[in-house]
Amino acid sequence: MTIDEEEREARATAIAQLLSSAETATEMNAITRVGIRSGFLWRCPRCKEPQYANRDACCGQPRPAV
């Protein structure tokens, strides 16, 4: 595993822990927004769902460039 892969995996783990501790939709939305802005998550251009940083594609499309 390369450093980039390790970092992406660590980010995915961190955001997953934060999302799992969120108790309301407002908290989940706030964590998701912060995750996307900080690069911990990215949004699929087709389905608009947030994806973890360690995913390279969604809906058959590659992750968009940052």
Side-chain angles (χ1 to χ4, degrees), residues 5-65:
E5 290 171 338
E6 288 177 13
E7 184 177 325
R8 286 170 62 184
E9 191 64 34
R11 287 180 177 188
T13 300
I15 198 72
Q17 289 174 346
L18 287 171
L19 286 169
S20 69
S21 67
E23 296 181 5
T24 66
T26 301
E27 289 175 348
M28 289 185 74
N29 288 336
I31 293 168
T32 299
R33 282 193 311 271
V34 169
I36 290 170
R37 288 183 182 146
S38 64
F40 286 17
L41 298 170
W42 58 277
R43 192 171 300 279
C44 174
R46 179 175 277 168
C47 71
K48 306 297 185 209
E49 290 295 316
Q51 303 297 320
Y52 288 105
N54 61 352
R55 292 207 48 201
D56 291 325
C58 182
C59 297
Q61 296 182 344
R63 178 182 179 168

